[in-house]
Amino acid sequence: MSAVARAYEVRAVAVDSLGEGVPYVTYRIYQPGVEKAVAANTGSLDGDVRQTLQSAGEYDMTLSYVGMRDTTLHFTVSAAQPRANLGRVVMCDASEMLEALVVTAQKPLVVKEIDRIGYDVQADPETKTSNLRDILRKVPMVSVEADGTIRVNGSTDFKIYKNGRPNNSMSRNAKDIFAALPASSIKKIEVITEPGATEDAEGTTAILNIVTNDEVDIVGVMGNASVYYDTNNGYPSANLYLQTQIKKFALSGYGGFVPMHGKQQRQESITESYFPETGESRNSHSNTKFEGQFGYFGVESSFDIDTLNLVTAEVSGYAYTAHPTVDTEYSYFDRNGVQTGGFRTWQDGSGTSSYLDMDANVNYQHLTHRKGETYTLSYRLSTTHQTNDGSTQYSNLDGTPYQPYSAIVANYKLNFIEHTFQADYVRPFGNHKVEGGLKWIIRRNHSKTSNDYVDWMSTTSDFSHVTNIGAAYAQYAYKIGPVNLRAGLRYEFSQLKAEFPDGSAEPFKADLNDLVPSGGVSWQINDGNSLTANYSSSINRPGIMYLNPSVTQTPTSVSYGNPDLESARRQSVKLTYMLIGKKVNLNFSANYGWSDTGIAQVQWLTEGNVINSTYANVGINKEVNFGLYFQWSITPKTRWMVNAGADWRQYEQEGYELSHWSPRVYTQLSQTLPWKLNADLGFYYWGGGAYSVYGYSKGSFADRQGLSLSLRRGFLKDDRLNVSVGARNFIGRSRRAYESVTVQGPYTGRNVSYSEPSFAVTLSVSYRFGSINTQVKKTAKTIENDDLMGRKSE
């Protein structure tokens, strides 16, 4: 205890020849004669280096930065002088260095690899006082809207991984979990927009991989407790993160609880429908409120059997319970605008919507005596349980003769379980690297739906869906000088079978075969410039919500799934340029993607202007994406960042066609102020865009922009207590409108949703306790399943 309590520390300030601080300089500290560093990290934006040490003694510290000579300084700390202050250290330019001398560069905030872009969260000075959702706004190709909706390349069609493996809890409710999860527990964020064969190419078009810390092994205990409060929510949310290590066993865990109350759980919506053939129109006005709570948790562990064998395990989950209250007024009008009828629907909040999602996995990794050769065996169990119970009452049924019931009492239950077994092999030799693997998935879906149309009839559906998937992949990589090449191929075989135990429909089965190629090439032009080109393809199999033929009926609509759906295929090509300079970081990308077998919603009108809908493999989609990330350290205390893009999407389907541009931008100016204060001023804008062949979203500039301001400061020793105060949307409209338009032959629809007051004041308080440098280890390979569309009902 006395050894831990004694504080040894070294401090320095790295500056260039002009006296300006060197931003995020990389430093490593060694004991004389020992090759392994006892500490390694990056300095602050203004070049400040501060590192605690575990014991007294003599040390050497090496400072490194791209384009500058490495600088090494010797220092000593002891019980009499526990702190060594090396003062201002001038680092010289490397222009006169020999060509054969390699300069070790500090790791920048953004790094481009052949198939992904990584954002170094720990190098961001806002990490200590920000949540993960705030940091995501700065990640290239990622945008976060005002309500927390996350988009990658302008699309919500992406998967979320944690440490290289799918995390369904995060994927389903990312905007809530990320708003509560402290960024300090995250090492980096990877955007994988060109998933190759090893990344499980059978998935969506992009992967957002959240990577936790995985540094050196030092025994200790550390934790972080945080509380976040938003004036638009009635209660604060809380989060706790803990990690420890006992000899060869490491353990970390996190959990959080968020109440769903207050203004942000309320929404007003107005829908207008027009039918040109008859001249009739239909309007609705709805007010919705949710009351409930959700919680999430995760536990990771690792055990070093010896230097060649490692076992890791993880379990995570997410659960919520909500009680919706919905009041909607419907009105019908003839071609002259005279009201001919209408009715009211009401859900009184007594109904319950509950959801539980859990994932568990275990991985065994074996390293051989050949450098880089790895064998990995993995097993993953994933399960979901979802229920929806409630009733919708109908009243004021004036002029609606085709409405034969007064209420609908609905009950829905979904059970999902999935077993996945996977084996991976990696073997580098010289400039070559080969990878291969096998995978087997056993997937079981079972849903029961009942609808009691009071005073009319009752319907039930008992639906079971079984899928067995076999996969094999191989990938080859070759490095020749500054050029890296990669090519991969994945084969997928799937057996699908659907049964209806209640006899409501005939069973069916199908066998699908898919080959999924991928490839890429990158050119490191010089130390600061790189160019990357990629080709990728992916498939998506329909989930239970798309296949289930159970009919859901309302006075204005009839919908059901299609059990004959097949997997959809998408292809894309992408070109990326990246510049990493001393003060400027630039990333520009251009992508083109296409699909002609997309799973799309099909709609048509029947008598009484009732909208019928199902799904089919008839979607033809094309998209062009441009992305720009720019970061400039203007001065040692001032930084400007821009994360922007524009997407063009075209949808074609059965004679219909729709295309639309969608711009987006997030920019932030960060400034270090006196008294250890840090200020951030941010602005975002999202311009809407096409979302299907039938419709697109739009809105005025005032409704789709936002402004935020925050002040943060660290207190106590080593800034263990961090406090952040912020305000958002303090200029402009307090009540925002979000409009979507649907046009389909004889039907035109318009929906406007109004958010509750967008202005809010936020307070975040976090406290870091304990001391540790170890994090739970990860195997080099693990299971990734992201092929399934609609695994769970919305």
Side-chain angles (χ1 to χ4, degrees):
M1 291 294 294
S2 62
V4 175
R6 182 170 295 163
Y8 300 101
E9 184 183 59
V10 60
R11 294 192 63 181
V13 179
V15 298
D16 59 19
S17 58
L18 300 178
E20 295 186 353
V22 179
Y24 309 117
V25 63
T26 297
Y27 66 86
R28 293 177 175 83
I29 300 176
Y30 305 85
Q31 291 180 326
V34 180
E35 293 185 0
K36 185 177 180 180
V38 298
N41 208 330
T42 57
S44 67
L45 177 65
D46 54 6
D48 184 64
V49 172
R50 179 186 298 182
Q51 178 65 47
T52 58
L53 301 168
Q54 296 295 318
S55 60
E58 296 185 6
Y59 295 92
D60 292 319
M61 180 168 70
T62 299
L63 301 175
S64 303
Y65 193 82
V66 62
M68 292 185 171
R69 291 191 180 100
D70 285 1
T71 303
T72 301
L73 303 101
H74 183 80
F75 66 93
T76 302
V77 291
S78 63
Q81 293 183 332
R83 294 178 175 82
N85 192 340
L86 304 181
R88 294 167 63 85
V89 180
V90 179
M91 300 184 66
C92 300
D93 292 339
S95 57
E96 298 178 359
M97 296 179 65
L98 298 176
E99 291 183 359
L101 185 60
V102 177
V103 179
T104 302
Q106 61 96 16
K107 188 175 183 180
L109 282 176
V110 177
V111 176
K112 178 71 176 78
E113 300 179 24
I114 192 170
D115 61 346
R116 69 193 65 195
I117 286 180
Y119 186 87
D120 190 345
V121 178
Q122 291 301 310
D124 191 319
E126 295 182 42
T127 296
K128 293 181 180 180
T129 56
S130 298
N131 58 53
L132 184 54
R133 194 170 74 181
D134 294 334
I135 296 296
L136 273 176
R137 293 187 187 273
K138 307 179 183 182
V139 179
M141 296 181 292
V142 179
S143 61
V144 182
E145 298 174 26
D147 64 351
T149 299
I150 301 168
R151 296 177 181 270
V152 178
N153 265 354
S155 172
T156 57
D157 182 23
F158 64 94
K159 288 290 184 179
I160 296 177
Y161 288 1
K162 183 170 177 284
N163 297 324
R165 59 181 68 94
N167 189 291
N168 293 308
S169 300
M170 288 185 174
S171 295
R172 282 287 294 171
N173 296 278
K175 69 178 184 180
D176 295 322
I177 295 178
F178 286 1
L181 197 63
S184 58
S185 64
I186 307 302
K187 179 183 179 181
K188 65 178 177 178
I189 301 170
E190 293 181 335
V191 183
I192 307 172
T193 55
E194 300 85 30
T198 60
E199 296 293 342
D200 199 354
E202 51 173 312
T204 50
T205 58
I207 298 169
L208 197 61
N209 186 29
I210 309 300
V211 182
T212 57
N213 297 299
D214 57 354
E215 298 300 328
V216 296
D217 298 328
I218 299 176
V219 176
V221 177
M222 191 198 81
N224 185 294
S226 61
V227 176
Y228 177 82
Y229 178 73
D230 185 319
T231 54
N232 278 346
N233 200 3
Y235 302 91
S237 59
N239 178 278
L240 178 65
Y241 178 83
L242 292 169
Q243 60 186 66
T244 185
Q245 177 160 328
I246 305 172
K247 294 184 178 180
K248 295 184 177 182
F249 178 74
L251 180 71
S252 72
Y254 65 90
F257 175 78
V258 179
M260 296 188 295
H261 299 278
K263 299 176 183 177
Q264 66 184 23
Q265 305 300 330
R266 302 173 185 173
Q267 184 178 11
E268 179 184 2
S269 177
I270 296 175
T271 301
E272 300 172 352
S273 302
Y274 177 66
F275 305 93
E277 290 184 353
T278 63
E280 298 174 341
S281 61
R282 180 187 302 154
N283 297 342
S284 67
H285 185 186
S286 178
N287 286 281
T288 304
K289 181 177 71 172
F290 287 91
E291 298 286 342
Q293 54 278 320
F294 78 82
Y296 55 94
F297 72 92
V299 178
E300 302 175 35
S301 63
S302 66
F303 179 69
D304 282 304
I305 301 174
D306 52 40
T307 58
L308 299 178
N309 297 278
L310 171 68
V311 175
T312 68
E314 179 181 359
V315 60
S316 62
Y318 170 89
Y320 75 77
T321 301
H323 305 282
T325 300
V326 185
D327 185 7
T328 306
E329 290 280 354
Y330 295 86
S331 302
Y332 299 156
F333 301 88
D334 62 17
R335 63 173 60 252
N336 298 316
V338 178
Q339 183 169 350
T340 58
F343 62 94
R344 179 189 182 214
T345 65
W346 170 256
Q347 297 179 38
D348 60 6
S350 60
T352 301
S353 176
S354 64
Y355 179 87
L356 173 63
D357 184 295
M358 292 187 65
D359 295 285
N361 61 71
V362 60
N363 305 278
Y364 167 70
Q365 176 181 280
H366 172 69
L367 306 178
T368 72
H369 292 285
R370 293 191 183 99
K371 184 178 179 181
E373 187 175 37
T374 306
Y375 295 88
T376 307
L377 297 175
S378 304
Y379 167 72
R380 176 170 178 255
L381 171 67
S382 183
T383 182
T384 299
H385 179 69
Q386 183 176 0
T387 63
N388 288 305
D389 298 300
S391 63
T392 302
Q393 305 295 322
Y394 289 78
S395 61
N396 303 329
L397 299 171
D398 299 325
T400 54
Y402 56 89
Q403 169 65 28
Y405 48 90
S406 59
I408 300 177
V409 180
N411 179 272
Y412 172 78
K413 291 182 179 180
L414 168 68
N415 288 296
F416 170 92
I417 189 168
E418 178 183 82
H419 304 273
T420 306
F421 304 87
Q422 185 168 322
D424 299 280
Y425 173 71
V426 180
R427 169 72 190 281
F429 51 97
N431 293 332
H432 307 266
K433 182 180 180 182
V434 294
E435 301 177 66
L438 299 172
K439 184 175 183 179
W440 183 256
I441 304 174
I442 304 171
R443 183 177 292 156
R444 301 290 184 268
N445 275 304
H446 186 200
S447 69
K448 288 186 176 182
T449 305
S450 66
N451 291 302
D452 180 13
Y453 298 88
V454 179
D455 301 327
W456 187 33
M457 69 174 183
S458 296
T459 62
T460 61
S461 174
D462 190 347
F463 180 51
S464 295
H465 176 212
V466 177
T467 304
N468 296 316
I469 302 170
Y473 77 85
Q475 182 164 285
Y476 169 75
Y478 178 65
K479 178 177 173 60
I480 176 171
V483 177
N484 286 273
L485 302 172
R486 184 198 67 170
L489 181 65
R490 190 178 189 92
Y491 168 70
E492 297 280 349
F493 170 71
S494 57
Q495 297 175 321
L496 296 88
K497 181 180 180 181
E499 296 178 341
F500 305 86
D502 60 356
S504 58
E506 291 296 324
F508 81 95
K509 63 179 181 178
D511 294 337
L512 303 175
N513 291 274
D514 294 286
L515 283 174
V516 185
S518 61
V521 56
S522 67
W523 175 30
Q524 191 68 39
I525 303 172
N526 52 41
D527 286 343
N529 294 268
S530 64
L531 194 64
T532 305
N534 277 281
Y535 164 79
S536 64
S537 59
S538 62
I539 62 171
N540 290 99
R541 298 183 183 88
I544 194 170
M545 64 174 290
Y546 294 94
L547 295 165
N548 192 346
S550 174
V551 177
T552 300
Q553 183 170 342
T554 74
T556 58
S557 66
V558 175
S559 62
Y560 48 89
N562 178 6
D564 294 323
L565 289 175
E566 297 181 351
S567 56
R569 177 183 293 272
R570 180 186 181 275
Q571 303 179 78
S572 69
V573 291
K574 185 174 184 179
L575 185 66
T576 304
Y577 166 74
M578 185 150 192
L579 166 67
I580 300 177
K582 178 182 175 182
K583 294 186 177 182
V584 174
N585 196 333
L586 174 67
N587 181 284
F588 177 78
S589 63
N591 178 80
Y592 174 69
W594 67 97
S595 172
D596 56 7
T597 58
I599 299 175
Q601 187 179 47
V602 179
Q603 296 180 329
W604 66 95
L605 290 175
T606 55
E607 185 179 355
N609 289 328
V610 175
I611 302 173
N612 291 252
S613 64
T614 187
Y615 301 95
N617 292 100
V618 295
I620 301 175
N621 307 330
K622 300 175 184 178
E623 61 182 71
V624 177
N625 313 107
F626 297 102
L628 172 68
Y629 178 86
F630 174 76
Q631 180 183 294
W632 178 23
S633 296
I634 303 173
T635 72
K637 296 184 177 182
T638 306
R639 185 177 64 182
W640 179 38
M641 185 273 296
V642 177
N643 186 9
D647 309 310
W648 175 81
R649 299 179 185 274
Q650 182 183 54
Y651 297 89
E652 299 179 29
Q653 179 181 324
E654 297 182 322
Y656 296 101
E657 180 180 325
L658 180 67
S659 62
H660 211 278
W661 278 97
S662 174
R664 65 184 188 278
V665 64
Y666 175 74
T667 183
Q668 178 177 291
L669 185 66
S670 302
Q671 180 69 43
T672 300
L673 302 172
W675 305 297
K676 295 177 64 177
L677 281 173
N678 292 276
D680 299 292
L681 179 64
F683 170 81
Y684 77 88
Y685 170 74
W686 180 67
Y691 55 83
S692 75
V693 71
Y694 301 127
Y696 60 93
S697 58
K698 67 175 185 177
S700 67
F701 177 83
D703 287 326
R704 293 189 174 271
Q705 56 81 28
L707 195 64
S708 63
L709 176 65
S710 67
L711 291 172
R712 64 185 188 280
R713 190 185 191 280
F715 298 89
L716 304 181
K717 182 181 178 180
D718 297 328
D719 293 337
R720 287 181 174 268
L721 177 65
N722 285 273
V723 179
S724 175
V725 179
R728 65 173 183 265
N729 299 331
F730 48 87
I731 296 177
R733 297 177 181 174
S734 178
R735 190 169 184 256
R736 305 293 176 90
Y738 301 92
E739 182 179 359
S740 61
V741 177
T742 302
V743 179
Q744 186 187 1
Y747 169 77
T748 300
R750 175 177 176 268
N751 177 267
V752 182
S753 297
Y754 297 93
S755 66
E756 287 295 330
S758 56
F759 169 75
V761 176
T762 61
L763 173 65
S764 176
V765 180
S766 65
Y767 177 69
R768 188 180 74 257
F769 53 90
S771 178
I772 194 172
N773 287 328
T774 182
Q775 268 72 35
V776 176
K777 295 190 176 183
K778 288 86 187 174
T779 54
K781 290 291 182 180
T782 187
I783 289 173
E784 301 165 356
N785 289 353
D786 63 345
D787 63 301
L788 184 62
M789 293 184 64
R791 163 182 163 185
K792 313 167 196 70
S793 164
E794 296 295 335

